Every structure is written in structure tokens, then in C-alpha cells.
Amino acid sequence: MLDVRRLRLLCDLSRLGTIAAVAQAAAYTPSAVSQQLSALEREAGVALLERTGRRVALTAAGHVLVQHAETVLAALEQTSAALAAVTAGLSGPLRIGAFPTAVRTLLPDALVRLGRRHPGLELMVTELDPVCVPAALRERRLDVGLLHDYDVVPVEPDPVLDATPLLDETVFLAVPAAGAFAALDQVRDAAWILASPGTLCHTATLHVCRAAGFTPRARHQADDFATVLALVAAGQGVSVVPELAAASPPAGVRLIPLPTRRRNRIAYRRGAAGHPAVAAFISAIRAATGVAGLPSGPDRTRIAR
């Protein structure tokens, strides 16, 4: 019989690549992880790992077991969801991860709706960069999370997670209202306010500008969109911002819609879609998009003016 906890560790190793990374994610020592994986090899009766110096790699059998283990783990999620569905009333913690603009604009109303309908739920929100949400879901630090990508920078689906569309946002060029800028091709020589290199927002901005034939010249670096818009209002440069972040821009900012879209999704572990707490969250957050004036669904093409 194969131990489920050890199967999780093997899947983590396939994803993270090193024993040390698995140990950190699972809050184990590297020695304990190695011992658990050795025990899994004995249970399987076949070598799952090959060691080359100080590193380990999956054998062909290890890769096969990972594929089946992911199916097993998804089935366990489905089982937990089915059991929760026959329990009277929702209770216990629901751990939610979301990026800052969603925390400010969508989650407050969603949390109120959930609290009224399901007072037994203990709602726990963690503000996270979207790139951190998949790992937190896989490691069971979250039950549900909000992700996004840009149509110009699509993100590959995670095989361990499922997701349902929430909303597509218009992306805007934010310029000082006192300036004469009216289109993207007019700001090639302007000073820019960019997100930190390596972030999805930074990468998307580079793609948008390069498609227009130039590379933006960075003057300021800021990851908080409220800060970005304040700098634009002060005449310190121009930037690219998504619609959720631009819902209430400060005076002195003019927003020019671009053809680019930011695509938001609700993510959870494979098999967890039927869990009543996950389903309740999906319903509440979708309703919150209407309250925010942002209709939900993958085909949304609202152009803000």
C-alpha cells in the first residue's frame, strides 16, 4: 500500500526539483524527506529516484508514479468535497489567497456575502502575489485563490490545479491629465513607472510597449497601483494599469483603454470544485464583480471611458 503523504512528497519533488526545496515547502528536515521517499520506494518495490552527486532525479518509474499520484490526490479532494456536501451547514476555515487589487475591490463584498450565508465558515484571507498562489494551493496553505495573467503573457495551466474564469479586465495606459498624450505610440519617449522586474505586470508592460515598437524608459519603480497612479497624477510619468486598479483614479490621471486584457481566474486543487465551501466562494466572488461594476465571465469586453 502506497502512503498518500509520501506520494505528496514525490509530487513536490517532481515540481520543485530538490530535496531541500521539498523540505522547506513541507516544513520537514531534508533528512526526513529523504527517509520518507526511501520508504515510498520500498512500498513501490522499484527505484523512484536516481542520485547524481548531491542531487536526485526521478527515474522513469518515478515519473509514472507522479502522474498516477496526481490522479489519486485529485480523487481524494473529490472524496473530501463529497463528504462535505452531505454535512449539514458549512463550517471551519476557508483559506483564501488574493492579489492586492482584488483584496481591495472584490473580496470585501464577497466576504460579507459569505459571512451572512454561511456564518459557520471561518474566512481567512492572505494577500499574495498571483505567482505565489499555485504553490500555496498545492501545499494546502490555501483552499482557494485568485490568479491572473495577461493575454500578451499567458501562463501555462498547472496540472495539479483547476480554475474557473472570473472576469477579464481592460488594461489602460495611465497618463497625466494635463498632458497631450492620447495613444500608446505617443509615449515612447515619456518617463515610465514600472513594476519590479520579474513580475507579471512588468513583463506585460514590456510586451505591450514592444508591440508598439519601443522599450519603455523607466524612471520610477512601484508595485502598488495606488502609488503608480499617484505618481502619474503628479506628472512623474506614465504607466499601464488594469481596470480593477483604476476603478477610482485620482484627479490628474487620464485613462486610455488598450486592446490588452488581464484575465482573472478562481483556482483550487483538482477535485475540489464540488466542495460546498469552494462553490460558495465562487458564487460570492462572482456576485462581487457585479457590485464592482465588472461583469463576470470569460467573454467580457467592457471598454471603460
Side-chain angles (χ1 to χ4, degrees):
M1 181 68 69
L2 300 177
D3 185 278
V4 171
R5 292 169 298 179
R6 293 167 182 157
L7 290 175
R8 290 189 194 279
L9 292 176
L10 186 68
C11 291
D12 287 344
L13 180 61
S14 175
R15 174 173 56 88
L16 298 173
T18 67
I19 295 289
V22 173
Q24 183 176 12
Y28 287 174
T29 64
S31 176
V33 172
S34 295
Q35 291 173 11
Q36 291 298 312
L37 293 175
S38 294
L40 182 61
E41 285 186 310
R42 292 194 295 272
E43 292 171 352
V46 63
L48 303 174
L49 306 175
E50 52 187 6
R51 292 165 175 80
T52 55
R54 299 178 63 181
R55 298 184 66 85
V56 297
L58 294 179
T59 64
H63 284 292
V64 169
L65 185 54
V66 165
Q67 293 175 354
H68 287 275
E70 289 174 349
T71 300
V72 168
L73 295 176
L76 288 173
E77 288 288 345
Q78 287 179 316
T79 302
S80 297
L83 290 174
V86 299
T87 302
L90 293 181
S91 62
L94 179 64
R95 299 162 299 178
I96 304 161
F99 50 93
T101 48
V103 172
R104 289 196 299 270
T105 59
L106 299 181
L107 274 189
D109 181 77
L111 296 176
V112 169
R113 290 170 183 268
L114 277 171
R116 288 173 177 168
R117 295 174 183 173
H118 308 288
L121 281 178
E122 181 184 358
L123 304 173
M124 305 166 67
V125 174
T126 300
E127 186 178 279
L128 288 175
D129 189 283
V131 299
C132 300
V133 169
L137 286 167
R138 287 188 298 259
E139 294 160 14
R140 310 184 74 79
R141 292 184 281 115
L142 294 178
D143 301 305
V144 65
L146 299 184
L147 302 175
H148 64 232
D149 67 0
Y150 291 80
D151 54 7
V152 294
V153 192
V155 174
E156 289 295 321
D158 191 310
V160 181
L161 305 179
D162 281 336
T164 186
L166 177 59
L167 61 91
D168 287 358
E169 302 170 67
T170 298
V171 173
F172 294 97
L173 174 65
V175 301
F181 301 127
L184 185 62
D185 60 2
Q186 297 177 1
V187 294
R188 62 177 62 245
D189 297 322
W192 278 76
I193 304 153
L194 298 181
S196 299
T199 63
L200 193 58
C201 294
H202 182 272
T203 303
T205 299
L206 293 184
H207 276 265
V208 167
C209 292
R210 287 170 181 166
F214 68 95
T215 298
R217 176 173 59 86
R219 173 184 290 175
H220 303 293
Q221 179 177 302
D223 292 316
D224 179 75
F225 284 119
T227 301
V228 169
L229 290 172
L231 289 171
V232 173
Q236 293 298 301
V238 303
S239 192
V240 168
V241 297
E243 191 170 355
L244 280 177
S248 300
V253 173
R254 186 154 46 89
L255 299 173
I256 302 168
L258 300 175
T260 303
R261 296 290 182 269
R262 188 170 79 163
R263 306 176 298 193
N264 297 272
R265 305 182 305 282
I266 310 160
Y268 35 83
R269 288 180 293 278
R270 277 182 57 198
H275 194 291
V278 172
F281 175 79
I282 292 172
S283 176
I285 195 73
R286 281 182 163 169
T289 65
V291 171
L294 301 169
S296 63
D299 299 324
R300 177 178 170 274
T301 56
R302 175 175 179 263
I303 302 295
R305 299 185 184 276

